[in-house]
Amino acid sequence: MLKNTLFSAALALTTLSGVQAAQISEDVIQNSFYPYKTGTPSFPGLNAGMTINQENVDQFKDALDPAMYTFIKNGATEMKVGATTSFDLHPSYVESTRKYSSNVSLGAKSGEVSPTIAGRPFPQEPSMDDPRAGEKLAWNYKYGYNWGDSAAIYPFYWKYRNMESAKVERTIKMNFHFLNFTHRTSQAPYPAITPNPSNLFRAIYVQVLEPFDVKNTQLLIQRFEDDTKVDNAYLYLGFQRRVRRLSSGQTTDAFLGSDVMIEDFEGYNGRISDMKWSYKGTKNMLVPMYNHNEMDLDSKTHSDKDGYQVIAFGGQGGCFPDITWQLRKVYVVESQPVDQNHPISKREHYIDAQTFIIPRNITYDRKGDMWKSWTIGQSHPDYHLPINKGTGVSIDDSFSMIDIQAQHCTTGQFKGIVAPDLNPVDKFNVQNMRASGS
């Protein structure tokens, strides 16, 4: 019942917030949330059910990002094409956009935006003539419906792999938890959790389950509603039995020795104000979105009493999820760090225009060379766990971070659950870290 809050909940947001706003154009809403209502994109010679490989990849180069094109061209992987499907977000999020987005505007500086309540802040189609279009798209991602109001990956498997030998060097099992304190639309309370004295927007909590040498390592990230305020980030190391605060620079270190930075989580886990955002255009591209229950699954890594199994991996080094890719409308956005000491020069984000999740990223090193390739496979919620059906959440379902230069990768296999009872508010504070570590 908590998962599928009655649609009238969204209608109550105006009364609860005490704010009256003019509704945004219905044409804008339809274009933003239902881009495939009148038809799906096409590309010459591309059909669902086919496989893109070394022999035919040049024909589809313009439908691929540069990293995936190179992987396929070099024979590291092949790509199975699936039919384009609509990933409809929860009606309450769409309704919130109707009610509250017409009055949203950017502030004078990056990271500043007028007070927002819920929904997609800037649902209008971006324009190349708008010098701040990239920043608006970044806000749409920040306040997007990624994992809904709260969810958990329960459990989450990370495997560290040598891409050349295919050896799995290490497997880490952990749980991830996500909670929105504000901008809530589908899980009570909405639009915000109160009290919220620190004025937090969102929190992420991670607890490592195994192996023994890192068991009970915990990470807590608290992001503020005020984007110009530096996140609170805390790390609990089981062998030290104490919580220490992370500096902002440590979010770009390798997390637990993997190929992934904390800043990489979910496609981008940082502040809007930490980056300069540039909109590079809209195109139809193949991105990793699919139906979990129709994919090849891995019963050896995880198979539980519910019969759930995680996505299988293959390709060179076992670094590529064995999934299908859809041709979808994508916004191409570039982010460049404001901090000159940042370890990267830029990221290219390929943002799905319907959901505003980031299924593909390419990271470039400080010299400007391609460094890392980041894939987050997305499952439709209605073809996943029964509890996720109807949630409107595009389920993070597999990931691969490939260090192209080191020929190494970290892969992720998920059991994502949209269940509020797994994410109580008191899980997202330092006191919980100490209690869980004792």
Side-chain angles (χ1 to χ4, degrees):
M1 184 172 67
L2 286 173
K3 177 188 70 177
N4 291 313
T5 304
L6 294 175
F7 182 69
S8 60
L11 300 176
L13 285 170
T14 303
T15 302
L16 289 171
S17 65
V19 174
Q20 298 291 333
Q23 288 199 5
I24 200 157
S25 162
E26 189 60 23
D27 288 342
V28 169
I29 292 292
Q30 293 298 317
N31 180 67
S32 186
F33 289 101
Y34 309 105
Y36 311 119
K37 191 171 183 178
T38 59
T40 55
S42 62
F43 191 91
L46 187 73
N47 298 293
M50 72 178 299
T51 298
I52 300 174
N53 53 32
Q54 281 182 294
E55 285 68 39
N56 63 5
V57 67
D58 286 333
Q59 180 183 351
F60 305 108
K61 184 176 182 179
D62 289 342
L64 298 165
D65 65 76
M68 284 309 301
Y69 168 78
T70 302
F71 288 137
I72 298 171
K73 185 69 174 178
N74 292 341
T77 190
E78 297 181 346
M79 180 181 289
K80 293 180 286 188
V81 179
T84 302
T85 59
S86 185
F87 279 57
D88 292 358
L89 301 189
H90 196 280
S92 63
Y93 184 81
V94 179
E95 182 63 20
S96 295
T97 305
R98 282 191 180 96
K99 287 188 172 295
Y100 302 123
S101 294
S102 60
N103 293 336
V104 178
S105 60
L106 295 176
K109 299 178 182 179
S110 178
E112 295 179 347
V113 71
S114 61
T116 58
I117 297 169
R120 184 169 291 170
F122 300 101
Q124 300 84 359
E125 195 67 20
S127 169
M128 294 295 292
D129 296 329
D130 180 359
R132 302 186 74 179
E135 188 181 343
K136 292 175 182 177
L137 295 173
W139 280 107
N140 285 352
Y141 165 72
K142 175 175 178 175
Y143 288 143
Y145 202 64
N146 190 14
W147 286 118
D149 294 340
S150 74
I153 307 172
Y154 204 80
F156 196 2
Y157 300 89
W158 287 27
K159 295 182 181 180
Y160 302 7
R161 304 173 187 259
N162 184 306
M163 200 170 183
E164 295 178 335
S165 69
K167 178 183 178 181
V168 177
E169 301 164 339
R170 186 170 177 81
T171 300
I172 292 182
K173 181 180 180 181
M174 61 187 88
N175 292 334
F176 263 59
H177 299 265
F178 310 88
L179 178 68
N180 284 3
F181 286 81
T182 61
H183 293 259
R184 299 169 61 87
T185 66
S186 62
Q187 295 175 4
Y190 35 77
I193 293 171
T194 55
N196 181 13
S198 298
N199 199 23
L200 298 177
F201 158 58
R202 193 171 191 251
I204 299 174
Y205 170 71
V206 183
Q207 184 173 27
V208 177
L209 306 177
E210 54 185 65
F212 181 77
D213 63 320
V214 289
K215 182 178 180 180
N216 220 22
T217 297
Q218 300 169 69
L219 174 70
L220 174 64
I221 300 171
Q222 297 173 329
R223 178 149 299 132
F224 295 95
E225 186 71 24
D226 180 358
D227 187 83
T228 64
K229 191 173 181 179
V230 177
D231 296 347
N232 287 335
Y234 304 93
L235 187 69
Y236 178 94
L237 299 174
F239 65 89
Q240 292 183 345
R241 299 177 67 85
R242 70 182 182 91
V243 176
R244 64 183 179 89
R245 189 159 186 162
L246 295 180
S247 68
S248 57
Q250 289 176 288
T251 61
T252 57
D253 293 341
F255 181 60
L256 297 178
S258 71
D259 299 289
V260 182
M261 307 173 186
I262 293 173
E263 192 179 84
D264 290 320
F265 292 177
E266 301 181 274
Y268 177 68
N269 181 41
R271 300 179 302 162
I272 307 300
S273 54
D274 287 332
M275 299 285 160
K276 178 182 177 182
W277 301 88
S278 302
Y279 168 57
K280 298 299 182 179
T282 302
K283 62 184 301 187
N284 294 328
M285 282 182 51
L286 287 158
V287 290
M289 299 179 72
Y290 53 87
N291 296 338
H292 176 99
N293 296 340
E294 298 172 2
M295 298 298 105
D296 290 333
L297 303 177
D298 173 6
S299 61
K300 293 182 180 179
T301 297
H302 182 88
S303 183
D304 56 31
K305 63 181 181 180
D306 299 326
Y308 182 84
Q309 299 172 14
V310 294
I311 292 292
F313 276 71
Q316 184 180 348
C319 292
F320 299 88
D322 195 358
I323 57 176
T324 56
W325 294 56
Q326 298 185 8
L327 187 69
R328 299 179 65 86
K329 179 182 177 181
V330 169
Y331 298 129
V332 184
V333 177
E334 184 178 286
S335 63
Q336 295 178 302
V338 174
D339 182 0
Q340 297 299 311
N341 296 316
H342 198 286
I344 73 169
S345 61
K346 67 177 182 179
R347 288 186 180 92
E348 290 174 355
H349 307 275
Y350 299 91
I351 303 176
D352 181 66
Q354 182 178 26
T355 63
F356 270 88
I357 50 88
I358 307 179
R360 286 287 297 146
N361 269 353
I362 303 174
T363 301
Y364 293 80
D365 66 17
R366 293 180 70 172
K367 296 183 296 181
D369 296 331
M370 193 179 292
W371 180 17
K372 294 182 180 181
S373 170
W374 179 228
T375 299
I376 310 179
Q378 302 286 323
S379 174
H380 196 291
D382 296 351
Y383 300 89
H384 199 264
L385 288 167
I387 195 173
N388 294 332
K389 187 174 182 178
T391 60
V393 173
S394 181
I395 305 291
D396 289 2
D397 196 50
S398 59
F399 87 68
S400 172
M401 176 65 89
I402 299 176
D403 187 326
I404 299 166
Q405 298 176 8
Q407 287 292 284
H408 194 274
C409 73
T410 302
T411 61
Q413 294 162 288
F414 300 63
K415 184 179 181 181
I417 307 172
V418 183
D421 59 313
L422 293 176
N423 308 287
V425 173
D426 59 8
K427 185 179 286 292
F428 299 88
N429 58 45
V430 173
Q431 291 74 19
N432 172 66
M433 300 177 81
R434 296 193 179 102
S436 299
S438 61

